[in-house]
Amino acid sequence: MKQPLLHLSLAAFLFGAGHVFSSARTETVIPNYRQLGANLIYSPHPNYPRRAQFQGVQGAGKYKINVDTTTGKVRSVEVVGPIGYKELDDAVTDALRRWKVKPQTVSAFYVPVLFFFDKQLEKTYDQALVYATYAPFPQAPFKVRSDIRGEIRGWYQLSIDRKTGLVSDVEVSVTSHSSVLDQTALATYRRWRFAPNSIATITLPAMAYPLWHL
């Protein structure tokens, strides 16, 4: 079974993406789990539910783990950026609740998780989740998936107010040739939020697979 991708090294996104990302860095208050190093002592991966794979469901999510610093055990898991498909979010939170860090090391940290069949999409969303603080994934409506015979994909350019991190505008860069999917993507990406003073623009995809897709 395919394992979801758990985030990245933050430094990796400073290369080859200058046309998308600002060189400005935000202050890191809550670390990414990769920054914990040996202090992260137990971190089971979430499973990619078979039903979600069968239905062609993909997505990216970002989660905040709150830690009991006395024991190093997880107190709670917050869904910062929902995948938008409950079975995937549940699989992730169930796994993250079992994570453990060394006591007296950290009180909270972020864990981005991605479920994709396409490695290029994983990379694109990895980059976005470095800076995104709220990142719901656009899910193709049932009607779109029932009407297509093969994969369709569109790309959408987000303009971001760097002072606030709010998305000020979203435009279709490459249409999916489905007005329903395009409108779903535009509406979803308008809800995204980014760390202030981080990036000014980014282009992200939305895709749909037919209902029979494996």
Side-chain angles (χ1 to χ4, degrees), residues 148-163:
I148 58 177
R149 295 185 177 182
E151 176 194 350
I152 60 173
R153 183 179 302 181
W155 290 85
Y156 310 88
Q157 183 175 5
L158 286 65
S159 297
I160 301 146
D161 183 324
R162 290 189 55 176
K163 184 176 180 180

Side-chain angles (χ1 to χ4, degrees), residues 102-176:
K102 289 183 179 179
Q104 308 299 333
T105 56
V106 65
S107 61
F109 57 95
Y110 287 120
V111 181
V113 180
L114 301 101
F115 295 89
F116 285 105
F117 308 117
D118 186 319
K119 292 297 182 183
Q120 181 58 43
L121 294 182
E122 285 185 347
K123 181 179 179 180
T124 299
Y125 272 94
D126 266 346
Q127 293 170 337
L129 290 175
V130 172
Y131 299 104
T133 59
Y134 181 67
F137 185 80
Q139 294 290 346
F142 178 87
K143 175 173 174 48
V144 174
R145 299 191 62 214
S146 64
D147 290 344
I148 58 177
R149 295 185 177 182
E151 176 194 350
I152 60 173
R153 183 179 302 181
W155 290 85
Y156 310 88
Q157 183 175 5
L158 286 65
S159 297
I160 301 146
D161 183 324
R162 290 189 55 176
K163 184 176 180 180
T164 63
L166 301 179
V167 175
S168 58
D169 190 31
V170 185
E171 297 180 352
V172 178
S173 295
V174 179
T175 181
S176 67

Side-chain angles (χ1 to χ4, degrees), residues 144 152 156 175-186:
V144 174
I152 60 173
Y156 310 88
T175 181
S176 67
H177 299 290
S178 165
S179 61
V180 176
L181 180 58
D182 284 345
Q183 290 304 313
T184 298
L186 293 173

Side-chain angles (χ1 to χ4, degrees), residues 81-101:
I83 295 172
Y85 185 76
K86 186 176 185 300
E87 190 168 358
L88 292 185
D89 281 324
D90 288 348
V92 174
T93 54
D94 287 347
L96 297 185
R97 288 191 186 103
R98 294 183 282 130
W99 283 33
K100 189 173 182 180
V101 300

